[in-house]
Amino acid sequence: METRSEHPYSLHSEDECDRLELQAKVARVLDAGSGSGAMARMLAKRHPGAHMTGLDVHPEYVAYARAHAAANGLPNITFEQGDLQAMPFAAASFDSVWSKYVLYFLPRRGDAVRELRWVARPGGAVTVAPNYMPCMHQYPIDRALQAALDLAIPALADIRLVDRLPLMFLEAGFRDVTVQIEADRLYTHVGPISAAQRRNVEALLRGGRAAVSRALGSDAAADAFVRNYPAYLDRPDTCTYTTLWFVRGRAPMV
């Protein structure tokens, strides 16, 4: 004879199974190194049934992202402050993890890859998308400018990280590791750059000016580089190429 449990399920109703099915389909997505929150907001808009979490180490970036998400009326997105190299999340917290550009700025990149594996659920997908040698390939070659680029750009980031990144994924325990390569339209152009591309390059160089000055040996050399590189990109006879590598893996099933 069937008897009822002495500890009945407090949420029981004739609709509970339907509710649990819907709950199970809410994807949890992490934007690791979310910056302004632009990518997280775009994904939240496109996938209203998913919940987006943005993580960034800078509190002012988190505040900016929260304000813009609120202004956009996005209820399925949150932003947290934290370090990608030691994330404030429990194991298996996310169904999918995404990180663009950020990894090559970090001092402990191996720790960050292991953390991405830690926070992904078993079978969850992780994608890291850095540039390969950004801003390093131009034609025609201006030898003086190229010599400055060869010193300045590596001072800003580990621009050859993607050479090692697939193996780092395997060492962290990821399965089904793949690489897809495409042109990064932000940093690839034929002929003069657009006004938006120029603003982006100028802002990037301003932000990294201290590192560029150290790499080139003086403030005067850094100032000349900050002037000369955008001026080169303005020319109608120049081409610049930068690739974006999508390194993907899956957290192993337990």
Side-chain angles (χ1 to χ4, degrees), residues 17 25 30 33 35 52 83 106 129 143-144 163 166 178 189 195 207 214 227 231 251:
C17 285
K25 294 176 182 177
L30 173 65
M52 291 296 308
D83 187 345
L106 302 178
R143 296 194 181 280
D163 285 336
T178 63
H189 65 88
R214 289 192 296 270
R227 289 193 309 272

Side-chain angles (χ1 to χ4, degrees), residues 220-248:
D223 289 340
F225 174 71
V226 169
R227 289 193 309 272
N228 293 340
Y229 185 47
Y232 171 88
L233 298 176
D234 284 334
R235 287 169 38 184
D237 64 333
T238 59
C239 301
T240 301
Y241 318 104
T242 294
T243 54
L244 188 63
W245 290 44
F246 296 85
V247 180
R248 296 184 173 95

